[in-house]
Amino acid sequence: MSKTVKKTKIITFGELMLRLMPFGYERFIQTETYNAQFGGAEANVAVSLANFGMESVYVTKLPENPIGQAALNSLRRYGVNTDYIARGGERMGIYFLEKGASQRGSLCIYDRKNSSLSQSSADDYDWKEIFKDASWFHVTGITPALSAGCADIVLTAVKEAKKLGLTVSCDLNYRSKLWTTTKAKKVMTEIAVYTDVCIANEEDAQKVFGIKTSKTNVDAGIIDKDAYSKTAKDLAVTFGFKKVAITLRQSINASRNNWSALLYDGKEAVYSKQYSIDIIERVGSGDAFAAALIYALIQKDQENELFRSNRDCIEFASAAACLKHTVEGDYNMFSADEVLALSLSNGTGRVVR
């Protein structure tokens, strides 16, 4: 990149899980072996930001056992600061992933009841100390869905972040297997009051806040840009968000998607180019998008000439998500320069020699 990047301190908070997946495209009912890795929405964001050169700090709670230590080490490998990870509790949360193909969708099964994070308390986190010298705090709608205690902790954290002058971003990330739409709306409405940047898709907006995107059917490949712009504006007006980013995924099948995104700043919505993606793995692509958007907006605020406009920012975020679809695992394995190269190219994937 043509300008030195200022190393900005960014905090993320959520649950890091053990991820178990059959090799290749085997189904749960046929596999005899599982590939063990680690992942989770906010941890994925933390790793991406560290790969981009940011001072990335991840906060969670992990059990005091070798599996918990292995999970923590998986973050350290990429330079994520783990100094504020609490230790204790009964167990790590687990999720099983069966990768889909063609007309067979992927399947995710959670086993995270009574996990260390879900049972953590406010005493586990000194937010004033954690937020010292930080400029940004990122959360998702997954963490407050884990337990009433987690919802209270997230609300406390965003309040403290705003009090200390941090920018707060929230990816709505609605998960029907974790809570109801009624509960999600109640909890996320409270968190939204302290949120500056909202990240969502059309389902999140409808399921969490009841804001429906009209004239759109992503399964049928129908996307109306004016309707998405209205959804972004409705979110911004209703909750006072300074910026709203919405991802636009057209699912042709489990193996091929079209991908683009928009960014709304209270005045206008700008759209990224659309990518036609042959999917290696879909999990974590939204987290890659969130991390890249955070990075790009920070670069814009620092007057980096490569991120002069909202369009530059949304192009970078969309390109990062596109690239995440090409690698297995939760974590996105790309540098800022690699993402930028795609965002500025025609996306043909030519060999680099």
Side-chain angles (χ1 to χ4, degrees), residues 133-201:
D133 299 323
S135 65
W136 199 292
F137 180 49
H138 179 72
V139 294
T140 79
I142 296 174
T143 304
L146 298 177
S147 67
C150 278
D152 289 341
I153 291 168
V154 171
L155 184 58
T156 298
V158 295
K159 285 181 178 179
E160 186 66 21
K162 290 304 298 177
K163 180 180 177 181
L164 295 174
L166 280 72
T167 298
V168 175
S169 58
C170 180
D171 189 337
L172 297 183
N173 260 346
Y174 177 73
R175 296 291 185 267
S176 61
K177 293 183 178 181
L178 296 180
W179 58 358
T180 65
T181 55
T182 301
K183 184 66 174 177
K185 183 175 183 179
K186 179 180 184 300
V187 173
M188 296 307 295
T189 296
E190 292 181 299
I191 293 169
V193 173
Y194 303 94
T195 298
D196 299 294
V197 180
C198 176
I199 302 168
N201 60 30

Side-chain angles (χ1 to χ4, degrees), residues 273-301:
K273 66 172 71 76
Q274 184 181 85
Y275 295 96
S276 179
I277 306 171
D278 293 312
I279 299 172
I280 302 299
E281 183 174 314
R282 175 173 164 170
V283 173
S285 55
D287 307 322
F289 174 85
L293 181 65
I294 292 168
Y295 176 85
L297 291 174
I298 288 173
Q299 295 309 305
K300 183 174 180 288
D301 286 345

Side-chain angles (χ1 to χ4, degrees), residues 10 12 16 38-58 71-82 287-288 291-292 324 330-336:
I10 305 165
T12 62
L16 182 60
F38 298 98
E42 302 85 356
N44 300 342
V45 171
V47 169
S48 278
L49 289 167
N51 286 337
F52 292 160
M54 295 289 98
E55 184 180 349
S56 179
V57 181
Y58 181 62
L72 188 149
N73 291 346
S74 77
L75 298 169
R76 287 176 172 169
R77 175 182 178 184
Y78 299 103
V80 175
N81 183 320
T82 60
D287 307 322
K324 173 59 191 77
D330 267 53
Y331 299 156
N332 200 18
M333 300 289 97
F334 295 93
S335 68

Side-chain angles (χ1 to χ4, degrees), residues 199-255:
I199 302 168
N201 60 30
E202 80 290 333
E203 183 181 45
D204 293 332
Q206 181 177 355
K207 298 288 188 181
V208 177
F209 293 131
I211 297 175
K212 181 176 173 55
T213 304
S214 62
K215 303 177 184 177
T216 292
N217 185 331
V218 292
D219 293 326
I222 301 170
I223 285 182
D224 185 292
K225 287 189 173 183
D226 289 338
Y228 273 91
S229 296
K230 184 178 183 305
T231 295
K233 181 178 180 180
D234 287 347
L235 285 167
V237 170
T238 302
F239 299 103
F241 301 133
K242 295 177 182 176
K243 288 185 173 63
V244 176
I246 298 182
T247 57
L248 287 65
R249 182 191 296 276
Q250 294 172 287
S251 296
I252 299 169
N253 56 45
S255 302

